Amino acid sequence: MANSGQKVVLITGCSSGIGLRIAVILAKDEKSRYHVIATMRDLKKKDKLVEAAGDVYGKTLTLLPLDVCSDESVRQCVNNVKDRHIDILINNAGVGLLGPVESISIEEMKKVFETNFFGVVRMIKEVMPDMKKRRSGHIIVMSSVMGLQGVVFNDVYTASKFAMEGFCESLAVQLMKFNIRLSMIEPGPVHTEFETKMMEDVAKMEYPGADADTVRYFKDVYLPSSIDIFEAMGQTPDDIAKCTKKVIESNNPRFRNLTNSLYTPIVALKYADETGGLSVNTFYNLLFNFGPLMHITMSILKCLTCSCLRRRTISPN
């Protein structure tokens, strides 16, 4: 139970990665300003979180089961919070999907949207009415740079993040009238067990329905380039957790918060040309014409990211 003066923070998807680190960093706040309710679908996977939380577990951090894909689970979880009072909702739960779109079933696509889009919508719908009554609250959504810029072979995941960005951009205007803030956190590549395992799995998979050339482009061109990008530009879950904490504690939190300044030039390409040709052609050339020079390209991007571009991002440090 939260002490007087503590803000109640409910976080989804805390069994590992970004969600786990956000839960721990807030629960271990030096001034004990937060009471964290960390949630996960299966409480049998709580061991890593409990170990990382250490002596704050059971004090400033408690656990609740939650499946964001279930209306009933979402309702029960929020009802289990004292007076249904949640000051800060952090929507972190998400799933990925990678590969040639011809080989991905519609059911697989629906599962991605069920978690990444409708899961967030369920949480907001359940928490928002109480926030409106209190005229107070902050909703955080873990989006992605892929919610701003499409990435080849990430078609469905990107679509789910684009949908989330549009939903939140529309909702944020209404919520301001009720003194409720809505903030998007937009990481680029993040080094997590989930990402590592997914990369390993997709490299071994077969892709029925996709032609041989497409499969070759995916495995021999995209995947090596993607690994280069992760190595050169990847952040840690701790980086994202620190960025999120800074957004929460800001007196005037931004709506969009890129966490990686190296991605600012990439996103800027999209808005520099309203026809879309500049960004599409640039990504095509980077992938198919300049693949062997990817390491050099990453170095150039670092040089392009001057101080004026860094001001557009939220730095973890």
Side-chain angles (χ1 to χ4, degrees), residues 268-293:
L269 287 174
K270 181 172 183 175
Y271 298 100
D273 173 19
E274 63 185 18
T275 71
L278 179 61
S279 61
V280 171
N281 290 327
T282 298
F283 277 98
Y284 173 83
N285 284 317
L286 281 174
L287 184 63
F288 293 110
N289 293 335
F290 305 131
L293 301 176

Side-chain angles (χ1 to χ4, degrees), residues 134-138 174-181:
R134 297 194 307 269
R135 292 294 200 275
S136 175
H138 194 174
Q174 178 205 148
L175 292 182
M176 286 180 70
K177 193 66 178 174
F178 294 88
N179 196 37
I180 300 169
R181 296 288 187 160

Side-chain angles (χ1 to χ4, degrees), residues 18-314:
I18 294 171
L20 184 153
R21 294 311 307 166
I22 295 175
V24 170
I25 201 171
L26 292 179
K28 290 187 174 183
D29 177 64
E30 291 181 357
K31 299 177 182 177
S32 297
R33 289 172 289 182
Y34 309 104
H35 178 78
V36 176
I37 301 169
T39 71
M40 60 189 71
R41 187 168 49 188
D42 184 1
L43 289 183
K44 292 176 183 177
K45 297 182 178 179
K46 68 180 182 181
D47 292 351
K48 287 182 182 179
L49 175 60
V50 171
E51 182 182 354
D55 58 5
V56 302
Y57 176 64
K59 297 175 183 175
T60 55
L61 186 147
T62 56
L63 281 174
L64 282 177
L66 171 64
D67 180 0
V68 298
C69 297
S70 163
D71 292 348
E72 183 59 28
S73 177
V74 167
R75 192 176 305 112
Q76 284 183 1
C77 179
V78 175
N79 285 341
N80 282 331
V81 177
K82 187 178 186 305
D83 299 327
R84 290 175 56 92
H85 185 114
I86 296 167
D87 296 293
I88 302 166
L89 169 65
I90 302 179
N91 295 283
N92 170 73
V95 295
L97 187 61
L98 187 62
V101 71
E102 305 98 312
S103 63
I104 301 172
S105 70
I106 296 296
E107 286 306 311
E108 288 178 285
M109 297 182 190
K110 286 180 178 178
K111 287 178 182 177
V112 172
F113 271 81
E114 192 62 50
T115 299
N116 294 2
F117 180 72
F118 291 110
V120 176
V121 173
R122 280 190 189 90
M123 293 304 303
I124 292 176
K125 278 171 60 69
E126 193 65 31
V127 168
M128 184 171 61
D130 295 298
M131 286 185 172
K132 282 185 171 182
K133 289 176 185 175
R134 297 194 307 269
R135 292 294 200 275
S136 175
H138 194 174
I139 296 170
I140 308 281
V141 176
M142 193 60 60
S143 181
S144 167
V145 72
M146 288 193 214
L148 300 172
Q149 172 64 59
V151 176
V152 64
F153 291 120
N154 287 267
D155 320 80
V156 179
Y157 177 80
T158 295
S160 72
K161 293 300 183 179
F162 263 73
M164 195 70 263
E165 290 268 344
F167 174 84
C168 290
E169 189 172 287
S170 303
L171 186 62
V173 177
Q174 178 205 148
L175 292 182
M176 286 180 70
K177 193 66 178 174
F178 294 88
N179 196 37
I180 300 169
R181 296 288 187 160
L182 198 160
S183 299
M184 312 287 289
I185 310 295
E186 296 160 330
V190 181
H191 298 292
T192 65
E193 294 176 12
F194 166 77
E195 295 286 355
T196 302
K197 186 176 186 306
M198 184 170 69
M199 286 290 199
E200 291 174 352
D201 288 346
V202 296
K204 302 172 187 173
M205 288 172 61
E206 300 294 327
Y207 293 94
D211 61 90
D213 283 344
T214 299
V215 174
R216 179 168 56 82
Y217 295 146
F218 174 61
K219 290 189 173 184
D220 299 342
V221 179
Y222 168 77
L223 285 180
S225 297
S226 183
I227 291 168
D228 279 345
I229 290 171
F230 263 82
E231 290 177 352
M233 303 173 71
Q235 292 180 293
T236 67
D238 235 26
D239 290 332
I240 311 307
K242 289 174 183 176
C243 291
T244 304
K245 190 170 188 283
K246 289 178 78 170
V247 172
I248 288 170
E249 293 172 356
S250 170
N251 291 327
N252 187 26
R254 302 171 181 172
F255 173 64
R256 284 198 168 93
N257 300 273
L258 282 167
T259 68
N260 193 332
S261 59
L262 295 176
Y263 261 89
T264 309
I266 296 174
V267 174
L269 287 174
K270 181 172 183 175
Y271 298 100
D273 173 19
E274 63 185 18
T275 71
L278 179 61
S279 61
V280 171
N281 290 327
T282 298
F283 277 98
Y284 173 83
N285 284 317
L286 281 174
L287 184 63
F288 293 110
N289 293 335
F290 305 131
L293 301 176
M294 184 59 73
H295 286 295
I296 296 174
T297 304
M298 293 301 103
S299 299
I300 292 171
L301 280 174
K302 289 180 181 180
C303 294
L304 284 173
T305 312
C306 58
S307 59
C308 64
L309 294 175
R310 290 193 185 100
R311 285 199 296 271
R312 298 175 182 269
T313 66
I314 292 291

